[in-house]
Amino acid sequence: MSEEHVLDYLPAYALECLDEEDELRVAEHLASCQTCQLELQAYQGLVEELPLAMTEREPPAGLKEKILQRARESKGHVATLPGTPRQGWLVRLRAVPVWSALSLVLVLVLGGSNLLLWGRLNTLENQSRNHLMTILLQGTSATPDATGLMVVSLDGSHGTLVVDRLPVLGQTQQYQLWLIRDGKRTSGGVFSVDEKGYKSLYVKSPEPLVSYSAFGITVEPKGGSPAPTGDKVLGGEL
Amino acid sequence: MDYKKFDDAALLRLIARTQEQALGELYDRYRRLVYSMALNATGDAGLAEEITQDVFLRVWNKAETYRPEQGKVVTWLSSIARYRSIDLLRRQAIRPEGNRAAWAEEGNSLPSDGPDIEGEVVISQRRQIVRKAIDQLPTEQGQALAYAYFQGYSHSEIAEALHEPLGTVKTRIRLGMQKLRHLLQEEKPSDG
């Protein structure tokens, strides 16, 4: 892979078919390279058009009625009064879209303490541009200086986690990202931080990232755990 | 109420308010997209029907999570259908063959049910352009792209399935995507 850029890997990255090791390297490079970010956007636009080229088939007759019947029976859907927005102000405030959000990663690296102010400024400046979505992760009482950011892709399917100022753990422990929905926690990856407490991690899950309601990071035994066992160090809601 | 007059985003707002007819209209517009995505991924009509139900019920229960600023409804639906299909393949350890025939032949389109005639003409034209571009790819590149896009296979998994060296597969994917990009850029609709 080129030291300068990862251009040859971007077609496969957009198609999400890179093997894990390559995927991580590309994600790390992308976090701080605007040239490659722009190239990636071009390929992601191409991937979005691929459904136009697929062979189309008619679903079986009667499928629509089955779906509507199941929708009627669905108990998870609570009716809302007409005109009542379904999203609370907190959700909208935290799921702030920012243009070129990956450049925020660079800002994190250079000066994590400016993160909050930077994010607010960009929110105001770029409300009309609306590209990537970011979710701020805040430290807990055990890690008040720690900060993190989840940058979610345009289609909401994958993202990059960046953390800074997390304590360096011993060799028997690692941090683990949890994707949270309806109280259920799914592992989003296991990682260690460098000597400054910094790490960027490519995050891909079976379900689109935007389908989760919150993200949390805990301290776990090396290699991770099936479910959280240790102290929570960062968390944020979508 | 005539739901056909609503655009996709308006339909989703109505679905978020449990308007069942809005879900029916969305189904009418995108049933083929969702079902075909699932069928091309799994190669199994029963699984494709199951995934199609799952996708539209997910829309029913999660319509409020759709954010227009993140992309069009059709892109959102395609993504859900694609990821649900790939997820099901992985969970059930199904490994279908990547099928070059997942890509349609140029000119082979089903008639549209969309309400927006003008918009449909534009989409139909673009569909022909994308299909023509795929048609121009060498067969092995189209097959590698089908494995990656529909089945969610990685480079290594494609190499294993095709009994080809990993480097060969990487090259096919890269060249295929680069050629598609070049061909589609040539045909890019102008803004003016």
Side-chain angles (χ1 to χ4, degrees):
Chain A
M1 189 179 299
S2 161
E3 291 295 322
E4 295 292 322
H5 291 296
V6 291
L7 298 172
D8 282 353
Y9 285 74
L10 295 178
Y13 186 86
L15 207 50
E16 299 176 30
C17 67
L18 283 176
D19 289 305
E20 191 175 348
E21 193 179 330
D22 289 336
E23 198 166 46
L24 285 172
R25 280 191 290 175
V26 173
E28 284 201 350
H29 178 85
L30 280 167
S32 59
C33 177
Q34 210 159 17
T35 303
C36 286
Q37 287 170 27
L38 289 173
E39 274 290 297
L40 177 63
Q41 282 180 15
Y43 282 111
Q44 286 174 330
L46 168 59
V47 171
E48 282 184 12
E49 287 201 298
L50 289 181
L52 290 172
M54 72 178 171
T55 303
E56 288 188 321
R57 298 273 186 269
E58 271 292 348
L63 183 55
K64 179 180 180 181
E65 194 43 51
K66 275 188 200 172
I67 290 169
L68 294 180
Q69 181 64 34
R70 285 183 62 186
R72 262 175 237 131
E73 293 166 0
S74 169
K75 293 177 182 173
H77 203 70
V78 181
T80 309
L81 290 174
T84 304
R86 301 283 306 247
Q87 291 180 354
W89 63 270
L90 190 59
V91 173
R92 289 197 299 275
L93 185 66
R94 291 187 176 180
V96 180
V98 233
W99 82 279
S100 186
L102 283 173
S103 64
L104 187 53
V105 173
L106 185 59
V107 174
L108 258 181
V109 178
L110 298 174
S113 63
N114 289 328
L115 179 62
L116 277 171
L117 179 59
W118 195 94
R120 284 174 188 156
L121 286 172
N122 275 278
T123 301
L124 293 173
E125 288 172 1
N126 299 296
Q127 277 175 341
S128 62
R129 301 184 70 162
N130 295 326
H131 288 304
L132 297 170
M133 181 167 64
T134 61
I135 298 98
L136 188 64
L137 306 182
Q138 294 177 314
T140 63
S141 57
T143 53
D145 295 335
T147 186
L149 189 73
M150 179 74 87
V151 183
V152 180
S153 65
L154 292 175
D155 65 3
S157 64
H158 56 96
T160 299
L161 169 74
V162 181
V163 297
D164 205 2
R165 296 186 177 176
L166 275 175
V168 177
L169 299 173
Q171 290 193 344
T172 59
Q173 291 182 312
Q174 283 186 296
Y175 291 107
Q176 189 162 8
L177 169 68
W178 300 101
L179 317 174
I180 304 166
R181 180 175 56 205
D182 300 331
K184 185 182 172 191
R185 285 158 173 79
T186 303
S187 177
V190 178
F191 61 94
S192 302
V193 295
D194 67 14
E195 70 279 3
K196 293 179 180 172
Y198 173 83
K199 175 69 181 176
S200 72
L201 177 74
Y202 178 71
V203 182
K204 189 175 172 185
S205 67
E207 303 278 342
L209 280 180
V210 289
S211 70
Y212 294 93
S213 56
F215 303 107
I217 294 171
T218 59
V219 178
E220 300 295 335
K222 188 175 183 181
S225 305
T229 61
D231 292 337
K232 182 178 175 182
V233 292
L234 280 171
E237 292 180 9
L238 189 65
Chain B
M1 192 183 295
D2 180 10
Y3 287 86
K4 289 192 183 306
K5 68 184 178 187
F6 292 112
D7 65 22
D8 293 345
L11 279 182
L12 278 188
R13 286 195 293 275
L14 292 169
I15 291 169
R17 294 175 188 173
T18 64
Q19 299 261 338
E20 187 186 309
Q21 296 92 331
L23 181 66
E25 174 61 24
L26 195 77
Y27 176 86
D28 289 342
R29 290 182 196 178
Y30 296 113
R31 66 187 187 281
R32 288 179 196 142
L33 170 83
V34 173
Y35 179 75
S36 303
M37 183 73 78
L39 187 60
N40 284 318
T42 63
D44 182 298
L47 289 177
E49 184 176 336
E50 188 183 315
I51 291 165
T52 305
Q53 289 193 46
D54 190 34
V55 169
F56 281 101
L57 286 169
R58 192 169 189 79
V59 170
W60 177 248
N61 288 310
K62 298 281 183 185
E64 71 274 14
T65 65
Y66 168 72
R67 296 185 179 92
E69 64 269 20
Q70 287 177 12
K72 296 176 184 171
V73 172
V74 62
T75 307
W76 189 58
L77 273 176
S78 302
S79 292
I80 297 175
R82 183 178 173 222
Y83 289 115
R84 297 303 283 179
S85 302
I86 293 171
D87 183 40
L88 187 141
L89 291 176
R90 287 180 181 161
R91 274 192 288 113
Q92 299 194 6
I94 302 169
R95 295 177 69 85
E97 288 186 9
N99 188 356
R100 178 70 171 81
W103 303 120
E105 290 176 12
E106 190 187 352
N108 180 18
S109 288
L110 294 173
S112 166
D113 291 318
D116 176 4
I117 303 298
E118 195 176 329
E120 277 303 318
V121 169
V122 173
I123 290 171
S124 179
Q125 287 172 344
R126 191 65 184 162
R127 182 179 288 124
Q128 292 307 318
I129 289 167
V130 178
R131 288 181 179 184
K132 184 179 172 187
I134 293 267
D135 260 357
Q136 291 181 57
L137 295 181
T139 302
E140 59 273 15
Q141 289 179 13
Q143 185 184 36
L145 292 184
Y147 263 120
Y149 184 71
F150 292 109
Q151 276 85 42
Y153 280 19
S154 67
H155 276 150
S156 297
E157 289 169 329
I158 298 170
E160 187 185 335
L162 292 175
H163 307 291
E164 296 279 5
L166 180 59
T168 303
V169 168
K170 286 183 176 180
T171 303
R172 285 179 188 172
I173 294 277
R174 177 169 52 80
L175 293 181
M177 289 287 281
Q178 286 173 339
K179 183 167 184 180
L180 276 183
R181 183 183 174 189
H182 174 70
L183 291 169
L184 294 179
Q185 269 178 344
E186 281 182 347
E187 302 279 356
K188 204 76 180 171
S190 66
D191 295 330

